[in-house]
Amino acid sequence: MVSVAAGDLPAFERLYRLYEKRVFQYVYGLVSDTTLAEDVTGEAMMAVWKGAGTFAGTSRVSTWIFGITRHKALDALRRSGRHQRDVALEEATDLPASQDCPTEIVYRKQNAAVIGNALKGLSREHQEVLRLVFYEELPYDEIAALLSIPVNTVKTRVFYAKQQLKLQLAQLDEKDVRR
């Protein structure tokens, strides 16, 4: 990050490539519009480039980037007069690794679809906190800072989100058994 703050363009290009897809997926989950998500991703990454010197190092770089991204996405939603939608975690599945066999890819997609359907039944707050914990692998204290909520609220949301996800998966399983 020091190199980016010093204006090292190749260092920023590496940082951009490292975070571009994750940032886009996060924004898309918030705005549900491909064009707007692309615009916000670009805005957020430009803000990272311009503000790299302000990175204090008190959190991980990813937390800092997602904080900027979240603010840019919410600002874009306010400007467009739209509302934040439920975060579609099912759309954030990992890209298959090149060594994965076709059967593994199909299995992973089926699992992602089932989990995605279960996640649709969760509140926006629960979906977002699960995304940050499991997909972005941010620690609770950094999620709390990112969302401007106490750490205990993050813990509570994760706990109840997992409980609700378990119930949703059980209901989907019951529906499949009845068929």
Side-chain angles (χ1 to χ4, degrees), residues 66 90 126 160:
F66 282 108
E90 72 275 5
H126 286 163
Y160 285 111

Side-chain angles (χ1 to χ4, degrees), residues 91-122:
E91 296 166 7
T93 57
D94 292 332
L95 296 174
S98 59
Q99 71 272 13
D100 287 345
C101 69
T103 307
E104 180 64 30
I105 293 169
V106 169
Y107 178 74
R108 190 177 310 148
K109 285 183 180 184
Q110 287 174 338
N111 272 347
V114 169
I115 292 170
N117 284 332
L119 288 165
K120 288 178 184 177
L122 302 182

Side-chain angles (χ1 to χ4, degrees), residues 68-132:
I68 291 170
T69 301
R70 186 171 197 271
H71 290 293
K72 293 287 183 187
L74 295 177
D75 286 346
L77 284 171
R78 277 191 284 278
R79 281 193 311 265
S80 70
R82 296 174 53 204
H83 297 287
Q84 184 176 356
R85 75 161 201 150
D86 287 344
V87 180
L89 293 179
E90 72 275 5
E91 296 166 7
T93 57
D94 292 332
L95 296 174
S98 59
Q99 71 272 13
D100 287 345
C101 69
T103 307
E104 180 64 30
I105 293 169
V106 169
Y107 178 74
R108 190 177 310 148
K109 285 183 180 184
Q110 287 174 338
N111 272 347
V114 169
I115 292 170
N117 284 332
L119 288 165
K120 288 178 184 177
L122 302 182
S123 70
R124 181 194 57 78
E125 290 84 9
H126 286 163
Q127 289 183 34
E128 184 171 27
V129 79
L130 287 180
R131 177 184 227 316
L132 293 170

Side-chain angles (χ1 to χ4, degrees), residues 38-50:
E38 289 171 351
D39 292 345
V40 171
T41 298
E43 283 180 38
M45 294 309 288
M46 283 307 298
V48 167
W49 169 249
K50 290 177 182 176

